Amino acid sequence: MSSAMNKVKQCEAIIGYEFANKARGIEALYAFPAYRREPGSNLKKNDALAIFGEVVLLENLCQQWLRMNLSTGACFRSNIEWTTIRQDVANNEYLAKVGNNNGLDQCVVLDRGTTNVTDKTMATCVKAVLGAVKFDGGDAAVAAVLRRLKLGHELLEPVMLNISQSSFFD
């Protein structure tokens, strides 16, 4: 079994999700450009998947924020509250901390000669993993991974405890 496949298996154990499409999992963990890989490799660096993963993260946070407002029957909370949640959670420093605290730093596939996972690389990997999970397993899978990684905000805790497996719009 390849080193990259071992890292995918390790990642799957950490996030509590098994990729049906292992190539998607490998792509999420690749932190260096394809032109520096072995000939014939068609996997891409995880940047594009990370962009999608950031959108997935923001969508989930916003859905939780909306659920909290709707479930309490209160008027919508301020935009300032949403901005606080977004800025606190969807930033590289916080995402790197979540990734490192959960052991995802051991799963990142680095370029030969690179010995440590920077915060930027770790944050990109976390976002890419979320994007890969969304592509592979959909909304319920992403919600489960977010819970498993404890990727949320204290302002959303009452909602995080009650997130259903169904889609927000069901």
Side-chain angles (χ1 to χ4, degrees), residues 10-50:
Q10 187 177 7
C11 174
E12 290 173 334
I14 291 168
I15 66 174
Y17 177 78
E18 186 173 337
F19 289 101
N21 180 349
K22 301 297 186 196
R24 187 73 70 194
I26 292 171
E27 182 180 337
L29 301 176
Y30 262 105
F32 64 99
Y35 68 83
R36 296 196 354 221
R37 294 196 198 117
E38 58 278 352
S41 174
N42 62 353
L43 290 170
K44 301 179 264 328
K45 187 175 185 296
N46 60 5
D47 286 346
L49 199 50

Side-chain angles (χ1 to χ4, degrees), residues 32-93:
F32 64 99
Y35 68 83
R36 296 196 354 221
R37 294 196 198 117
E38 58 278 352
S41 174
N42 62 353
L43 290 170
K44 301 179 264 328
K45 187 175 185 296
N46 60 5
D47 286 346
L49 199 50
I51 292 168
F52 177 66
E54 184 171 1
V55 171
V56 168
L57 173 61
L58 290 171
E59 175 188 30
N60 276 270
L61 292 171
C62 191
Q63 286 178 5
Q64 292 169 36
W65 182 68
L66 287 170
R67 278 189 193 104
M68 188 168 63
N69 287 307
L70 296 173
S71 67
T72 62
C75 293
F76 275 89
R77 295 170 183 246
S78 73
N79 290 344
I80 294 170
E81 184 180 75
W82 163 244
T83 300
T84 299
I85 292 166
R86 183 175 43 83
Q87 289 176 343
D88 288 354
V89 177
N91 72 70
N92 283 352
E93 183 180 343

